[in-house]
Amino acid sequence: MPQEALAEARSKESRVRRYLGLLGPGLVTGAADDDASGVATYAQAGASFSNAMLWAAPVTLPMMLAVQEISDRTALATGESLGTLIRRKFSRKPRIVIGILIVALLVANTLNIAADLMAVGQGMQLLGAGPDQLWAAVAGVGIAVTLMSGSFGVIARIFKWLCLSLLAYVAVLFAADVGWTDVLAGLALAQFQWSWDYLELLVGVLGTTISPYLFFWQSAHRVEEMRAEELGGRWPIALPDRDGPAARQKLRAARADVFTGMVFSVLVMFAIMAASAATLGKAGGVAIASAADAAKALEPVAGPAAQALFAIGLIGAGILAIPVLAGSASVGLSGLLGTRWGFDRRPRKARVFYGLLGVGIIGGVILAVTLDDPMGLLVFVAIINGIAAAPFLIVTMLVSGDRKIMGAYVNGRVAATIGWATAALMAAAGVVGVWTTLTGTGS
């Protein structure tokens, strides 16, 4: 190979390595968004309404980009988690209300953890590895032990590798016979339906995509990453405390990480919905009682390879999402109470954080091995997320729009506009979710 071509190839390889090296909290957050709840909801959308809800993928992308970038920037600008910043921003009475909401989020996350553990077990069973309840318990105990190790560096690397498992869902898309003309019609809103069943499931799609637990996780994971830097030892160095070029480089790298994660998340969402529409939807509509049911239903229409790929993605997504679900509310409540938190700390140094973490995971394990209706959990959790997203978004926007807290990194016009518009949309979705649940007008 000529020297110039060799140098160019090495330069490209170096750029790819640098890009992959900056991926972390944003990528993990985006991947964790496609957990069992998301998979089951997206698969049900494709199975029930074909491509009629596919437009939600590109529409939610800018909202996810804005909301997660805002959450990430609060950590970068202050070196503190969102829960800690809420404690700084609000007086005692608002903090009590927010604390109650976080406790409700902890309960919802525990239910979601149970559903994810059940999905991991069912995925292993689909691959012929043994009983699903056994694997659900093994996964829960294994994750708990790993998180209690206090080694954030190891945990962060595991998270990044687990993200690759979600590419299995994209592979399923190529295994299915997709009608791309119909896909384009769905993306263009040409198949939108005015029915309560459609709107109820749409609330579920929004609730599992713009999930409130991701706001807390994004800021917390970024703070953990900043703690792990050699720059400040055990303490995160916020952007205002770095020199100009270094601060700008850190902000650019963080945004690239967040944007990559959100695009990745929406790509997986699109792949699941489109593949389900091309397979389960064409089969006349299949009731999805769990994410594993979607994998089982794929085999007769797309072959055993599609089922295996779906099962692999299910296992990886569940193992990745469980620590995020358990950690997000634990971080939020610990920060709000003013106590120490973090996977990089030993349990005896962060008792409240690890206690809450243990409650979430152990509670999830107990539910996973005793309950038989994962879809009931998933629907309930999706509705809670859809309702709770707006209040948490409003809190996040108030924190990130406070110049006393954020300084020069306060929300700009674009971030503020999209952020508040997302809060309004999620508030409307929450109202629809409450209405359909109380009146029974949905499915």
Side-chain angles (χ1 to χ4, degrees), residues 46-430:
S48 300
F49 298 102
S50 190
N51 291 310
M53 215 172 288
L54 205 55
W55 60 269
V59 167
T60 55
L61 178 58
M63 295 190 291
M64 293 176 68
L65 293 174
V67 170
Q68 294 307 132
E69 190 277 333
I70 289 169
S71 301
D72 195 61
R73 188 163 22 88
T74 60
L76 289 166
T78 64
E80 296 177 343
S81 70
L82 185 56
T84 304
L85 295 177
I86 291 172
R87 181 181 178 85
R88 283 178 53 185
K89 168 69 177 175
F90 297 98
S91 60
R92 184 174 178 273
K93 288 184 179 179
R95 289 205 304 267
I96 292 174
V97 175
I98 296 170
I100 293 172
L101 287 173
I102 296 177
V103 171
L105 181 64
L106 178 63
V107 173
N109 287 354
T110 301
L111 296 175
N112 212 341
I113 288 169
D116 278 338
L117 286 171
M118 294 168 78
V120 170
Q122 290 166 346
M124 294 297 291
Q125 188 176 50
L126 285 172
L127 295 177
D132 58 336
Q133 290 185 329
L134 172 63
W135 280 108
V138 168
V141 173
I143 291 169
V145 171
T146 302
L147 295 180
M148 296 290 180
S149 68
S151 177
F152 178 73
V154 174
I155 294 170
R157 285 194 292 273
I158 293 173
F159 281 173
K160 289 176 71 171
W161 281 107
L162 281 172
C163 293
L164 295 176
S165 65
L166 295 183
L167 292 175
Y169 292 130
V170 180
V172 172
L173 183 63
F174 291 98
D177 183 18
V178 177
W180 291 105
T181 302
D182 197 60
V183 166
L184 291 175
L187 289 171
L189 269 169
Q191 301 174 354
F192 187 92
Q193 299 182 25
W194 285 105
S195 70
W196 285 115
D197 285 348
Y198 182 89
L199 293 177
E200 182 183 45
L201 189 54
L202 179 60
V203 171
V205 169
L206 293 174
T208 197
T209 303
I210 313 291
S211 300
Y213 69 85
L214 297 177
F215 314 156
F216 289 97
W217 176 260
Q218 181 67 57
S219 69
H221 196 168
R222 183 64 68 190
V223 171
E224 295 255 32
E225 184 210 46
M226 294 164 70
R227 285 177 182 170
E229 292 176 328
E230 296 181 0
L231 187 62
R234 296 282 293 177
W235 300 99
I237 302 299
L239 295 183
D241 298 322
R242 306 183 186 217
D243 62 52
R248 288 191 293 272
Q249 182 179 3
K250 180 66 176 178
L251 183 60
R252 284 195 300 269
R255 282 176 172 167
D257 173 32
V258 170
F259 292 171
T260 298
M262 297 309 107
V263 170
F264 180 69
S265 179
V266 170
L267 174 63
V268 172
M269 171 187 178
F270 169 83
I272 295 171
M273 293 176 75
S276 298
T279 53
L280 311 183
K282 286 183 178 179
V286 178
I288 304 298
S290 70
D293 278 356
K296 293 176 185 176
L298 280 174
E299 184 173 16
V301 290
Q307 175 183 291
L309 287 169
F310 210 93
I312 291 170
L314 195 58
I315 295 165
I319 294 175
L320 174 63
I322 290 164
V324 175
L325 287 161
S328 57
S330 303
V331 167
L333 202 53
S334 297
L336 189 65
L337 295 173
T339 61
R340 292 182 176 181
W341 61 271
F343 291 123
D344 60 339
R345 290 192 165 101
R346 297 290 179 181
R348 62 187 177 84
K349 297 289 187 180
R351 289 187 174 90
V352 173
F353 170 73
Y354 280 103
L356 294 169
L357 194 75
V359 167
I361 296 180
I362 293 171
V365 171
I366 294 172
L367 290 172
V369 298
T370 56
L371 298 181
D372 298 319
D373 181 21
M375 194 57 185
L377 287 180
L378 297 177
V379 171
F380 181 65
V381 168
I383 292 173
I384 289 180
N385 283 336
I387 295 170
F392 282 120
L393 267 172
I394 291 170
V395 169
T396 302
M397 293 304 298
L398 291 173
V399 169
S400 58
D402 190 332
R403 191 170 292 276
K404 291 182 180 178
I405 293 176
M406 299 292 292
Y409 298 97
V410 70
N411 288 336
R413 185 176 299 174
V414 174
T417 300
I418 299 177
W420 283 112
T422 303
L425 176 63
M426 295 309 296

